[in-house]
Amino acid sequence: MRVSSLRVRVLISATLWIALSLCGAGYAILEVFEAATLRQFDQRLSEELAGLRVAVATDPRNPAARMTSPSFRHVNSGLYFQAETAGLTVTSHSLRDQHLPLGVPGSVPERYVVPGPDGQNLRLLSQTIPNGEGTRWQLGVAADLSRLEPVITSFRRTLSFGLSAFGFTLIMAVALMLNATLGPLKRLHHAVLGCAKADTRPAPHAFPAELAPLVRDLDQLIDRARRQRDRGQLQAAGLAHALKTPTTILAGEFHRLAQGRPLDVAAAEDAIARLAEAAAFHLDHAATGPEAVLAHERIDVMAVLATLTQAIARLHPDISIKTDGPESIALDVSVSDLQEMLGNLIENAACWAQARVCVRVRATYQGVTVVVEDDGIGVPAADRTRIFERGVQLCPDKGGSGLGLTIARDVAALYGGALGVDSAPLGGLRATLKLPDAG
């Protein structure tokens, strides 16, 4: 069964690895301890064998008299010696008249495991040395291996307890580290949930450095979702405004028809055409905004501006439209949105200008600034806020829908930009569009 919890999966994996590691370490430590204990055991035998060599060399007739260890004097004490030469065998009292199999004679001490007086396993250290009379002594010292078992068993028990306690401590440490590691993710989860209830954002600096990029990405995702929402509201409001007049005309014509009066076919056809035009326009602009910009897609502002000014100049041949800016300046913005913003501003200026429209493009530290000025009559300070209201026309004789500046401002806001107006040095209105550069 697959475990879905990351915490449980990590804890189970850590527990298994800790258990395997500690078992391996325990086995290795126990092997080292047993080897060290056996070396110490052999060291004791080597010392006793050295004493037996001295005893047979000093008193070959009675070497037992010089083997003074109390263990040699007590029956079945677990420590034994035996010395053999031609016609003479000397054993420790602990052997009870039994003999040890001393193995193959050799001048270098050899180790064997042999049966003891009571059938127990003995570790035997055997060596052959000359006795100075043309014969040789074969010597042997043995000790009961069962004496090692209590020591090893006690160490094994202590080692098991220690490693178990250490393993439990490691598992608890892993659990605490998981809490410390996953805690920020839980806080981030609550922070994201809070975004749905209030206009709040998770702050990257409030999270560990490893999570800060994720928090920034989430912040950008929230911005993107809100821009999409705002764009949808803008499109819906624009479409509703565009449909209001033609639907009102059609409703009036149908009302006239219901009353038996003749239908104004030209007005109805014009209303239907305006409905179709509005629907087509808003469908074409439905996929716009920052979300419509492809990754690493940068648009040349000056190239778009040149195309727009040529088209608007043909519509207003009596107006001189001059542009000024660098040869090339790029922005992360969709072509249709840039055309909509600049086109509305320049066309509005051309409608109100007497003879001149100036467009200046400047690169700034934060992005790009576009200034559009005209030499018209301008807009009184009291009306500069009203011109951004949807459908407001200060001079109905000029035509238009009263949506140009509103749309330009709203589209700029989708990119984090701004649009403002004030008096132009030429005498008319100056519109300043600021767009940040995300690249």
Side-chain angles (χ1 to χ4, degrees):
M1 182 179 66
R2 182 179 179 183
V3 180
S4 59
S5 171
L6 180 62
R7 184 192 304 272
V8 174
R9 278 192 283 177
V10 173
L11 195 58
I12 290 175
S13 300
T15 301
L16 290 176
W17 279 109
I18 289 173
L20 290 174
S21 300
L22 291 182
C23 286
Y27 178 79
I29 292 173
L30 188 59
E31 287 292 316
V32 171
F33 177 79
E34 289 181 355
T37 303
L38 191 60
R39 281 197 302 271
Q40 187 177 9
F41 194 80
D42 289 343
Q43 180 65 29
R44 170 74 186 280
L45 292 179
S46 297
E47 291 173 356
E48 295 296 346
L49 182 62
L52 185 58
R53 287 198 301 267
V54 172
V56 298
T58 304
D59 190 357
R61 297 297 176 183
N62 188 21
R66 291 185 173 273
M67 301 300 290
T68 59
S69 175
S71 297
F72 291 132
R73 301 181 185 277
H74 298 289
V75 177
N76 294 333
S77 64
L79 184 63
Y80 314 98
F81 76 82
Q82 181 173 309
E84 297 179 354
T85 188
L88 178 64
T89 299
V90 181
T91 62
S92 63
H93 183 66
S94 56
L95 274 175
R96 295 183 305 176
D97 298 329
Q98 298 188 41
H99 294 81
L100 298 173
L102 298 183
V104 180
S107 58
V108 178
E110 298 289 341
R111 294 174 175 82
Y112 303 95
V113 176
V114 298
D118 294 324
Q120 74 273 40
N121 287 331
L122 303 180
R123 188 165 179 84
L124 172 70
L125 190 60
S126 175
Q127 184 179 14
T128 302
I129 62 172
N131 66 0
E133 298 178 357
T135 59
R136 290 179 175 274
W137 284 97
Q138 188 170 4
L139 311 177
V141 178
D144 190 352
L145 281 172
S146 63
R147 292 191 171 192
L148 294 179
E149 292 180 2
V151 177
I152 294 175
T153 301
S154 176
F155 179 78
R156 185 183 290 115
R157 187 182 300 112
T158 302
L159 180 63
S160 299
F161 176 78
L163 290 179
S164 298
F166 183 56
F168 178 77
T169 303
L170 287 179
I171 293 172
M172 293 301 297
V174 170
L176 292 175
M177 286 190 292
L178 279 174
N179 287 335
T181 302
L182 299 179
L185 289 177
K186 189 173 183 179
R187 288 195 294 112
L188 180 58
H189 170 69
H190 290 303
V192 172
L193 289 180
C195 293
K197 301 178 181 179
D199 190 13
T200 59
R201 304 287 184 86
H205 65 270
F207 293 88
E210 293 77 7
L211 284 181
L214 174 61
V215 176
R216 284 192 290 267
D217 291 342
L218 285 175
D219 193 42
Q220 293 176 1
L221 185 61
I222 293 170
D223 277 338
R224 181 186 182 95
R226 289 177 177 171
R227 286 197 301 266
Q228 288 177 332
R229 178 200 63 192
D230 295 341
R231 184 65 180 181
Q233 293 175 345
L234 175 62
Q235 292 290 341
L239 180 59
H241 186 273
L243 297 179
K244 182 179 180 180
T245 301
T247 53
T248 301
I249 294 174
L250 284 176
E253 292 302 320
F254 281 119
H255 182 68
R256 290 179 58 185
L257 187 62
Q259 291 178 343
R261 291 184 291 174
L263 177 68
D264 189 343
V265 177
E269 289 179 345
D270 179 67
I272 292 173
R274 292 174 66 178
L275 285 174
E277 181 182 356
F281 175 82
H282 284 87
L283 284 174
D284 290 340
H285 290 74
T288 54
E291 292 71 32
V293 182
L294 298 177
H296 307 296
E297 179 186 20
R298 294 177 65 78
I299 303 302
D300 189 344
V301 177
M302 300 306 295
V304 173
L305 180 61
T307 302
L308 285 174
T309 53
Q310 289 175 5
I312 296 173
R314 286 194 293 270
L315 295 175
H316 301 274
D318 55 334
I319 302 298
S320 171
I321 303 176
K322 294 185 178 180
T323 61
D324 178 47
E327 292 184 0
S328 177
I329 182 169
L331 269 179
D332 287 328
V333 60
S334 71
V335 175
S336 60
D337 281 347
L338 186 60
Q339 289 175 339
E340 189 166 29
M341 288 183 286
L342 297 183
N344 281 324
L345 294 179
I346 299 172
E347 187 172 4
N348 184 75
C351 287
W352 287 87
Q354 295 181 3
R356 297 171 56 194
V357 172
C358 294
V359 183
R360 296 194 306 274
V361 181
R362 296 289 183 265
T364 65
Y365 176 75
Q366 296 179 336
V368 173
T369 297
V370 181
V371 178
V372 180
E373 300 176 346
D374 64 74
D375 61 351
I377 61 174
V379 176
D383 293 330
R384 289 175 189 166
T385 303
R386 292 183 60 237
I387 62 175
F388 288 108
E389 295 178 7
R390 190 171 300 276
V392 171
Q393 295 176 272
L394 297 182
C395 185
D397 295 339
K398 292 288 186 179
S401 63
L403 294 175
L405 292 178
T406 305
I407 292 174
R409 181 199 60 184
D410 291 344
V411 173
L414 293 177
Y415 289 90
L419 174 62
V421 295
D422 59 356
S423 297
L426 298 179
L429 186 70
R430 175 169 61 185
T432 303
L433 174 65
K434 296 181 179 179
L435 294 173
D437 186 5

